[in-house]
């Protein structure tokens, strides 16, 4: 609902006003991304959330759930493992609600994200990479240690809480469909906890929509039977199959190399003026890969999961990409191709 005061429009939104949580975000048509295609491609701009990602929704639902069940007491402490986005959202919302937040991160966490969490008042715990290289498992273990040290502390348990997918079943996809006026033929969602893809799946099943759901994963992710391997870009994939992933069954799964994540980000920035993070770059790559096989005139929707500002020293730095990403130089040289992903696995 909108109220007008003079020339200033004031938006009344219960989900945001109650706790400073998430906001409805716009959907835009991407007309330049793949200029020779006759597909209609749309993007939901969730990087416009206050903390910069769709995890704002997740954080709000996770905290609401802990408060509703009485697990989280006034002035209590919240502990969570994070690669960055959820940590920033939880840090912001815990500050507004009067809680202490402890973010457990690893050495792949984005430095800017860690600084943002600290700016919101969070305590940031850095966990070293274990001998087996499974950073996610190491973070989870440290969360368990912190909970054992403080009997009043709780975790939002983003990898298994039903509130995680509920956020997207109740808000993300219904908003997107309302903005488009109809469900898309194809929906592309990045996966980590798998909360977003599971929530979208449940909304599709609940409403009986015809939408084909595509989960976008990283090469080196252990989700859905993948082979775990070294990954340098945070926010996409997981080091083990999460509890939520046991219930998710997207119609298709695309595993994307980090070189193609970089290329997808570069295309989106240069062709549409949208600066996005690595997970959204992976979605662009997955859409480009499918493009030749999709029916003419089909509608394709994607989520812009987060903004690209925190990735300026990595994804958007030519020198870093050439040094750190296998195939990075080739990715940078392919930016001018109409669809550099066509015919590529």
């Amino acid at each position: 609902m909108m109220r007008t005061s003079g020339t200033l429009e004031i938006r009344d939104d219960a989900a945001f006003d109650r706790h400073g949580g998430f906001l409805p975000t716009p959907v835009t048509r991407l007309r330049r991304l793949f200029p020779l295609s006759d597909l209609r491609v749309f993007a939901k701009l969730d990087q416009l959330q206050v903390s910069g990602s769709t995890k704002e929704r997740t954080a709000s639902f996770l905290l609401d759930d802990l408060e509703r069940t009485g697990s989280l007491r006034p002035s209590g402490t919240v502990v969570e493992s994070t690669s960055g986005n959820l940590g920033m959202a939880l840090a912001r919302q815990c500050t507004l609600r009067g809680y202490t937040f402890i973010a457990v991160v690893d050495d792949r966490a984005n430095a800017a994200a860690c600084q943002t969490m600290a700016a919101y008042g969070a305590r940031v715990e850095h966990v070293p990479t274990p001998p087996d290289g499974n950073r996610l498992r190491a973070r989870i273990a440290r969360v368990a240690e912190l909970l054992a040290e403080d009997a009043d502390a709780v975790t939002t348990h983003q990898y298994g809480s039903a509130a995680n997918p509920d956020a997207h079943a109740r808000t993300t996809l219904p908003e997107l469909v309302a903005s488009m006026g109809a469900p898309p033929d194809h929906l592309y969602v990045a996966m980590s906890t798998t909360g977003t893809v599971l929530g979208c799946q449940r909304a599709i099943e609940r409403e009986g929509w015809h939408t084909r759901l595509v989960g976008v994963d990283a090469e080196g992710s252990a989700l859905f039977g993948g082979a775990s391997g070294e990954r340098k870009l945070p926010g996409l994939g997981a080091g083990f199959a999460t509890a939520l992933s046991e219930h998710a069954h997207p119609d298709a799964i695309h595993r994307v190399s980090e070189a193609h994540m970089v290329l997808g980000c570069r295309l989106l920035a240069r062709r549409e003026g949208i600066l996005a993070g690595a997970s959204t770059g992976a979605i662009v790559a997955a859409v480009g890969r499918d493009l030749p096989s999709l029916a003419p005139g089909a509608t394709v929707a994607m989520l812009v999961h987060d903004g690209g500002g925190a990735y300026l020293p990595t994804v958007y730095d030519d020198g870093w990409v050439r040094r750190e990403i296998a195939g990075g130089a080739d990715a940078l040289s392919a930016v001018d191709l109409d669809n550099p992903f066509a015919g590529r696995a």
Side-chain angles (χ1 to χ4, degrees):
M1 181 176 71
M2 302 293 292
R3 290 186 290 114
T4 302
S5 176
T7 60
L8 175 67
E9 288 187 331
I10 303 171
R11 184 181 184 99
D12 292 324
D13 189 283
F16 186 78
D17 291 343
R18 186 174 68 254
H19 297 305
F22 65 92
L23 291 164
T25 54
V27 173
T28 188
R29 184 169 176 185
L30 305 181
R31 299 178 185 274
R32 306 172 189 86
L33 186 58
F34 298 109
L36 300 184
S37 170
D38 59 1
L39 294 178
R40 293 176 293 154
V41 182
F42 297 85
K44 184 164 181 58
L45 305 179
D46 245 21
Q47 85 277 21
L48 299 180
Q49 297 292 346
V50 177
S51 68
S53 82
T54 196
K55 295 294 187 178
E56 198 79 79
R57 301 171 187 271
T58 309
S60 184
F61 271 66
L62 290 171
L63 291 173
D64 283 353
D65 185 61
L66 290 176
E67 291 173 343
R68 183 171 52 252
T69 61
S71 301
L72 180 56
R73 300 175 182 177
S75 302
T77 297
V78 176
V79 184
E80 185 57 280
S81 156
T82 175
S83 62
N85 285 332
L86 182 65
M88 290 188 287
L90 283 173
R92 193 183 79 82
Q93 293 192 35
C94 281
T95 289
L96 294 175
R97 300 181 192 218
Y99 303 126
T100 297
F101 176 56
I102 303 175
V104 179
V105 305
D106 59 47
D107 58 10
R108 289 286 188 234
N110 192 287
C114 293
Q115 290 173 325
T116 301
M117 288 183 254
Y120 283 133
R123 172 179 144 197
V124 181
E125 285 253 345
H126 290 265
V127 176
T129 300
D132 66 359
N134 195 322
R135 298 179 183 87
L136 176 55
R137 200 176 298 280
R139 293 195 331 241
I140 297 295
R142 181 55 182 153
V143 168
E145 292 173 357
L146 291 168
L147 294 175
E149 293 169 7
D150 183 352
D152 292 326
V154 297
T155 181
T156 46
H157 190 39
Q158 64 163 321
Y159 305 100
S161 172
N164 183 343
D166 198 32
H168 306 288
R170 290 172 55 186
T171 73
T172 308
L173 189 51
E175 280 180 25
L176 186 152
V177 172
S179 295
M180 293 181 62
D185 297 314
H186 308 272
L187 174 65
Y188 290 74
V189 178
M191 302 188 296
S192 180
T193 67
T194 67
T196 306
V197 75
L198 178 56
C200 291
Q201 171 188 306
R202 288 178 173 168
I204 291 168
E205 292 172 345
R206 180 187 68 224
E207 301 296 334
W209 290 328
H210 66 274
T211 303
R212 170 179 173 262
L213 180 61
V214 182
V216 181
D217 197 8
E219 290 183 358
S221 168
L223 292 171
F224 302 104
S228 184
E230 180 69 9
R231 288 175 288 124
K232 296 188 176 182
L233 293 172
L236 183 66
F240 58 80
T242 67
L244 293 176
S245 70
E246 296 175 3
H247 305 283
H249 46 81
D251 298 298
I253 295 172
H254 282 327
R255 302 191 195 278
V256 178
S257 71
E258 291 187 320
H260 279 186
M261 294 179 203
V262 169
L263 181 52
C265 287
R266 298 297 187 96
L267 259 62
L268 193 61
R270 296 187 185 186
R271 297 181 183 180
E272 296 288 351
I274 296 173
L275 200 68
S279 60
T280 305
I283 292 176
V284 171
V287 172
R289 190 185 302 175
D290 278 353
L291 217 59
S293 65
L294 301 182
T299 55
V300 175
M302 55 179 275
L303 299 184
V304 180
H305 288 259
D306 65 347
Y311 294 84
L312 290 174
T314 54
V315 168
Y316 295 98
D317 183 277
D318 290 0
W320 186 89
V321 170
R322 290 190 178 97
R323 289 192 309 272
E324 302 293 335
I325 300 297
D330 290 339
L332 295 177
S333 67
V335 170
D336 293 330
L337 298 177
D338 169 58
N339 180 5
F341 310 105
R344 302 193 183 194

